[in-house]
Amino acid sequence: MTSTERDLRDTIAALLRATGERHADLADALGIVRSQVSRKQAGTRPWSLKDLHHLAAHYGMGPADLLCGMDHAVRRLPEHRRADTIGGTRTTLPAAEETR
């Protein structure tokens, strides 16, 4: 595996976190099955150039943006594609009751 392949996997992982997507969501968007995304992200199958173009279209950026590293790609992610909470879930805690 090349460093470029590893960097692309890291970039995709960062975009998944930034958008709040799961492997299944990305698979649906790319027209493949979730296990294919999982294998590509695990490094047992490479992302192809065709995949690169589909990924770029899905995330609303150019293919080169995906190859410039995760920080660059996340900065290029359109605002409407960003999750409200990056990499986590939103938790609401009840306000404490006042005691008198």
Side-chain angles (χ1 to χ4, degrees):
M1 173 182 320
T2 68
S3 62
T4 303
E5 289 171 319
R6 194 170 26 260
D7 290 346
L8 179 59
R9 285 190 359 255
D10 291 345
T11 296
I12 294 167
L15 290 168
L16 286 167
R17 281 191 302 279
T19 59
E21 291 180 328
R22 301 164 299 140
H23 284 189
D25 302 318
L26 183 57
D28 286 344
L30 299 178
I32 59 178
V33 296
R34 187 204 52 79
S35 62
Q36 287 177 290
V37 171
S38 296
R39 285 193 297 270
K40 290 171 187 275
Q41 281 302 97
T44 57
R45 296 277 189 229
W47 288 102
S48 70
L49 287 176
K50 183 178 175 182
D51 293 330
L52 183 68
H53 286 275
H54 290 296
L55 287 161
H58 174 66
Y59 287 116
M61 61 185 70
D65 291 317
L66 294 172
L67 299 174
C68 289
M70 68 178 107
D71 292 335
H72 174 84
V74 170
R75 281 194 306 272
R76 297 284 297 148
L77 190 64
E79 189 64 35
H80 73 277
R81 295 285 285 119
R82 296 175 186 271
D84 291 336
T85 304
I86 304 288
T89 58
R90 187 176 288 179
T91 303
T92 304
L93 299 175
E97 291 185 27
E98 287 186 37
T99 55
R100 292 184 187 226

